[in-house]
Amino acid sequence: MQIRQVRAGAWTARFSPDGSLSHVRAAGVEVLRGLYAVVRDAAWGTVPGRVEITSEVLREDSFEITFNSVHRAGEIEFDWAGRLTGTPDSRIEFQFSGRARSDFLKNRIGLVALHSLNWSGRPVTLLHPDGSTTDTVYPLQVAPHQPFLDLAGVRQRLDSGGVVELRFEGDVFETEDQRNWSDASFKTYSTPLALPFPVPMAPGDRVEQSVVLTMAPATVPSPAAAPPPAGPAVVTVDTSVVRRWPAVGVTVGPDDDIRSVAPQLAAMGAAHLRVDVAADGGVLRGGSRLEEVAATGIPVELAVHVGADPDAGLEALRRTILSTSVRIAAFAILDSTAPATTARALAAARRRLREVLEGVPLLVGTDDNFAELNRNRIVPGEVGADAVLFSLNPQVHDARSTAVMESTEALPAMIDTARGFANGAPVAVGPVTLKPRRNIYRSGAVDRLGRDDDATDPRQESPFAAAWLVATLEALVTAAVDRITLLEATGPRGVIARDASGREARHRTALHSVLTQLSEAVGSMPAAVQPGGAIRALAVRTPHNVRLLIANTTDEQQTARLAGRAGDLRLAPYEVRAIDLGSAEGGRGRPDNDDEGGAA
């Protein structure tokens, strides 16, 4: 079954075969990014469902769709029936009726509404279960904790004058700012986090919920009126403005033989290689990596994970640094016993590493999601540090390709928020990975040098990953991030693939091709795209020219055009095209294709 376009009076939306609604709009304005159901286990993992559509009636101004979803993972057995209806009076209802088939623990089961970032900074009225109301606004900067609590619904007004109301039944709901995890939405979900979790479920236990979306007055343009044919996205590069280009490096993964790929890393202009070491329990783990990286001649961004008993490990680290020719580009001091850097970790590092810390930029923050930094804020200037740091990945909550691409919409507010509470200090982001390196919300100790078994994404070597990387870099560079550390050097999480044995570097991926195209960047230039959304553009200045990377971030062919030039660029799904503006012929950029054909 393909994605269906559905309409209910004022509302238009997309219904997906997974049982979700997305991009719910009124008169072209997105109100909800998504409306769907989740089954979350005791570690906040999402248990996917196997959805079967049982009936579907689509009319010009209404719809009715019913389906069943079966969820099985380990001890979890849960089934639910969904019914989605839309009526001509601009009313959409999502009914959820579920039953447990086994004994298991859950953190959340039920309906979720994703409010569009269009509402950031705009008024909203909160509707509470006791009938009272509260007038407030959606957060502009990323709220560290839930901005809206004790919800039975929300009411907000469109610029056109229409009043939108969203009502929740079956539980008490609350809203979190999903930009904490780089999701491009505010999420309203059931069962307040203040209540104990996980919650035991037994066979026969039921979950019954509904969400109703209405519009008043329910007047809209005629549903029969078709939009005009879409033209190409127009890309305009402002060559009069040159912004600073950040230091862009790569992570040394736990399985990387970094010396074997040094030429490829040099070809893509890696400004640094991140090495992670852990000092705890009287030992230093990961220190041998420093000698390997020193042989490449590429400077090191050294992430030091300070444990509960770090002194002996830190002393071993000091000796290792002094005994090698490694060049340290920056230190990141992290506390492996806390969500973010603590005074204790900084004091231990300074006590044992003082002579090697001298004159080197010092980063403080978190090795985890922005949420951990936002909830444990650090002002670098108050602790003698130079910049604030957090890691980034687009799949904490949603692995769908569309959601991964849309996650870049959250990045400007994340950087602005970090820079704000850091009193204007530089912001460093890394590692940036396509999938989380580890689930920090599981019980038990976190291995800061390891990776979870499911930390790889099959799309890593595909054009999809290259398009995501261009969109991510464009957002970070535009937000004036100071340092960016990406991915891993080799393997299933890397920019260089290995052979079947997993040992030898095999070929450069589409990701490597993108980074090679950017290897000579000395600055960036604003590149506006109208209309925005499907096409993302990153323009850089090199010593020789201006290079433009255009990425199609969708699974459909798109057309783009350079402003002031004739001719269109037709981009295949997830294609990245590199154009040397200095050598464009006949008004049309000629693609500078990479040997591997993966990107650009």
Side-chain angles (χ1 to χ4, degrees):
M1 175 184 173
Q2 300 297 314
I3 291 175
R4 300 281 196 264
Q5 296 289 337
V6 297
R7 183 183 290 271
W11 300 110
T12 61
R14 292 159 55 108
F15 175 77
S16 298
D18 61 5
S20 66
L21 280 184
S22 63
H23 302 288
V24 183
R25 294 182 170 94
V29 177
E30 185 179 78
V31 174
L32 294 180
R33 177 56 55 93
L35 185 60
Y36 60 96
V38 297
V39 176
R40 306 288 293 275
D41 64 22
W44 291 108
T46 298
V47 181
R50 188 175 69 254
V51 176
E52 178 187 4
I53 309 298
T54 54
S55 68
E56 178 184 82
V57 179
L58 306 181
R59 301 184 181 91
E60 188 177 64
D61 60 356
S62 64
F63 63 90
E64 181 175 348
I65 304 169
T66 62
F67 50 94
N68 297 318
S69 187
V70 176
H71 300 253
R72 299 289 185 270
E75 63 183 9
I76 296 177
E77 296 182 16
F78 187 86
D79 305 336
W80 60 276
R83 182 172 181 266
L84 266 167
T85 57
T87 54
D89 60 347
S90 301
R91 184 180 189 274
I92 293 176
E93 181 172 9
F94 195 145
Q95 296 176 334
F96 174 100
S97 178
R99 174 180 292 179
R101 304 292 183 183
S102 65
D103 292 296
F104 63 90
L105 295 175
K106 61 98 173 178
N107 280 354
R108 179 178 300 146
I109 292 178
L111 293 172
V112 168
L114 303 182
H115 309 264
S116 172
L117 292 184
N118 288 337
W119 298 102
S120 180
R122 298 185 56 143
V124 60
T125 298
L126 312 182
L127 313 177
H128 301 297
D130 63 2
S132 64
T133 63
T134 302
D135 291 329
T136 185
V137 296
Y138 283 96
L140 266 176
Q141 292 198 326
V142 184
H145 301 285
Q146 292 83 347
F148 309 150
L149 300 171
D150 190 33
L151 292 181
V154 297
R155 182 186 301 130
Q156 51 207 52
R157 184 177 295 274
L158 299 173
D159 289 342
S160 61
V163 176
V164 173
E165 190 166 287
L166 194 61
R167 288 275 185 174
F168 309 105
E169 297 283 348
D171 203 341
V172 176
F173 286 68
E174 63 187 23
T175 303
E176 69 185 9
D177 194 332
Q178 285 217 117
R179 295 174 295 180
N180 278 296
W181 299 272
S182 79
D183 297 78
S185 63
F186 305 99
K187 180 170 72 177
T188 296
Y189 54 86
S190 61
T191 314
L193 288 176
L195 298 177
F197 62 85
V199 175
M201 298 286 287
D205 285 354
R206 300 196 64 88
V207 179
E208 306 277 349
Q209 294 181 5
S210 68
V211 174
V212 177
L213 177 65
T214 59
M215 165 83 75
T219 55
V220 291
S222 168
V234 178
V235 182
T236 304
V237 179
D238 184 355
T239 58
S240 68
V241 177
V242 181
R243 302 175 297 204
R244 178 184 176 276
W245 183 251
V248 179
V250 175
T251 303
V252 178
D255 304 316
D256 283 339
D257 178 2
I258 205 68
R259 284 175 287 200
S260 69
V261 293
Q264 292 98 319
L265 295 172
M268 68 183 204
H272 59 265
L273 297 176
R274 169 166 161 151
V275 175
D276 288 75
V277 299
D280 196 14
V283 298
L284 174 70
R285 293 192 299 128
S288 61
R289 286 296 200 184
L290 291 175
E291 186 174 349
E292 298 172 26
V293 174
T296 71
I298 301 173
V300 169
E301 180 179 277
L302 184 56
V304 183
H305 300 270
V306 179
D309 178 19
D311 282 3
L314 291 173
E315 175 60 25
L317 177 59
R318 184 188 69 83
R319 292 195 303 267
T320 299
I321 294 172
L322 293 175
S323 66
T324 68
S325 59
V326 65
R327 290 184 293 147
I328 307 296
F331 278 97
I333 304 301
L334 305 163
D335 192 329
S336 57
T337 72
T341 306
T342 60
R344 180 198 68 84
L346 279 171
R350 288 188 169 117
R351 186 169 59 247
R352 293 291 181 174
L353 303 177
R354 183 175 302 276
E355 62 184 302
V356 294
L357 288 173
E358 183 94 22
V360 179
L362 182 62
L363 317 180
V364 291
T366 185
D367 191 39
D368 299 319
N369 304 306
F370 182 67
E372 279 61 54
L373 177 61
N374 202 19
R375 294 171 178 177
N376 300 271
R377 296 180 170 188
I378 306 169
V379 180
E382 295 179 359
V383 296
D386 300 291
V388 69
L389 168 72
F390 65 92
S391 74
L392 179 68
N393 82 84
Q395 294 189 57
V396 175
H397 293 125
D398 198 337
R400 293 176 299 172
S401 296
T402 301
V404 169
M405 292 298 184
E406 291 172 344
S407 70
T408 60
E409 298 172 25
L411 299 183
M414 295 167 69
I415 303 305
D416 185 59
T417 303
R419 189 174 286 119
F421 66 67
N423 284 350
V427 178
V429 179
V432 178
T433 57
L434 183 55
K435 196 170 183 185
R437 292 165 292 153
R438 58 187 75 91
N439 183 351
I440 63 170
Y441 303 116
R442 291 194 183 110
S443 59
V446 174
D447 180 3
R448 290 294 168 184
L449 305 190
R451 303 291 186 266
D452 285 356
D453 292 339
D454 60 352
T456 60
D457 189 309
R459 298 168 291 190
Q460 180 85 17
E461 295 184 28
S462 72
F464 169 87
W468 161 77
L469 180 60
V470 170
T472 300
L473 286 173
E474 185 275 329
L476 293 176
V477 170
T478 300
V481 165
D482 188 68
R483 302 176 64 84
I484 304 171
T485 303
L486 300 168
L487 306 161
E488 293 179 8
T490 69
R493 298 176 298 273
V495 296
I496 302 167
R498 298 197 193 105
D499 65 11
S501 71
R503 292 189 299 271
E504 308 248 349
R506 176 166 52 88
H507 66 265
R508 291 172 291 168
T509 64
L511 293 165
H512 185 277
S513 297
V514 166
L515 294 175
T516 300
Q517 293 289 352
L518 300 172
S519 62
E520 294 184 292
V522 294
S524 70
M525 297 175 169
V529 182
Q530 291 294 335
I535 298 295
R536 300 292 288 270
L538 174 61
V540 299
R541 175 169 290 286
T542 77
H544 318 291
N545 53 40
V546 174
R547 176 160 291 168
L548 177 66
L549 268 62
I550 301 178
N552 176 4
T553 62
T554 76
D555 60 1
E556 299 177 344
Q557 179 176 290
Q558 301 290 335
T559 304
R561 177 180 298 169
L562 300 184
R565 304 193 180 201
D568 294 342
L569 301 170
R570 290 177 175 81
L571 301 173
Y574 303 122
E575 181 183 356
V576 175
R577 189 80 60 87
I579 301 170
D580 182 346
L581 298 184
S583 63
E585 296 181 3
R588 179 176 178 179
R590 172 175 293 176
D592 181 9
N593 290 317
D594 183 86
D595 292 340
E596 306 300 332

